[in-house]
Amino acid sequence: MTDLSTDRIGFTYCSAVPDKDRGLLLMASIVIPAQGGAEGGGHAMMLPVDQARAFIAYLRKGPQWAKVASENKVGLFSKPIGDVIGAEGYPEHLSIKFVSDEQSKGSVRIEHVLGGVTNAFGLGINPALKYAAQAEYVLETALAQMPESAPAEDAEKSKLFE
């Protein structure tokens, strides 16, 4: 994973956090270790179960949608996940973009807008698939351990995972 504002390389980490008001939340994090004299840092996106499932499904579509974008010279295609949970009242928006330009040859970009500032991270297709698998494992394990946190089944959303 590359932080597109600094070109520093990081890695992904996921955990599940129960929230008394919003149920189970997936914390999809990006950790940027200290590099080249710069301090380390990180970024986290808090997603309720339905948005977490959309996040996972869109990451999994990376190979297919990046190829479609490349073959049709779309350049950049965005799939918004929507407004996500913000801290301290700041508006947040999360989207996954599928990129097919001369530099990337097909990649995935996660954009998280927080308080009007865009945090953008780039992933190759294989790292995007690994991030999806990591997020799904954490989410489904947490739901199995805390079934009361699972939202009611939504037949339309379930189709994403067939």
Side-chain angles (χ1 to χ4, degrees):
M1 165 109 30
T2 303
D3 180 339
L4 297 177
S5 67
T6 64
D7 284 334
R8 293 192 312 170
I9 304 297
F11 59 92
T12 60
Y13 176 78
C14 294
S15 61
V17 181
D19 183 276
K20 64 180 175 138
D21 298 324
R22 298 170 284 199
L24 187 71
L25 301 176
L26 175 71
M27 183 171 73
S29 301
I30 297 155
V31 180
I32 307 293
Q35 298 170 33
E39 288 186 22
H43 187 80
M45 298 159 284
M46 301 298 287
L47 305 167
V49 174
D50 60 338
Q51 289 179 337
R53 287 184 170 151
F55 179 75
I56 293 163
Y58 291 164
L59 286 175
R60 287 219 165 103
K61 291 282 189 180
Q64 175 187 349
W65 287 351
K67 183 178 178 183
V68 168
S70 178
E71 288 173 354
N72 294 284
K73 301 193 182 325
V74 171
L76 189 64
F77 177 70
S78 178
K79 274 306 265 189
I81 290 177
D83 295 328
V84 294
I85 297 168
E88 301 176 22
Y90 290 110
E92 289 191 45
H93 186 78
L94 180 64
S95 64
I96 295 182
K97 296 192 175 191
F98 299 90
V99 184
S100 63
D101 55 27
E102 290 181 15
Q103 293 82 18
S104 69
K105 302 286 190 249
S107 64
V108 175
R109 181 182 305 164
I110 296 171
E111 291 188 2
H112 187 206
V113 179
L114 175 58
V117 176
T118 300
N119 300 279
F121 305 93
L123 300 97
I125 297 298
N126 286 337
L129 293 174
K130 289 178 182 178
Y131 197 15
Q134 178 186 43
E136 182 179 45
Y137 176 80
V138 168
L139 180 67
E140 296 306 325
T141 300
L143 286 170
Q145 293 171 348
M146 296 178 275
E148 69 280 1
S149 296
E153 182 67 23
D154 182 328
E156 288 301 310
K157 289 178 185 166
S158 291
K159 290 179 185 176
L160 294 171
F161 296 95
E162 292 178 355

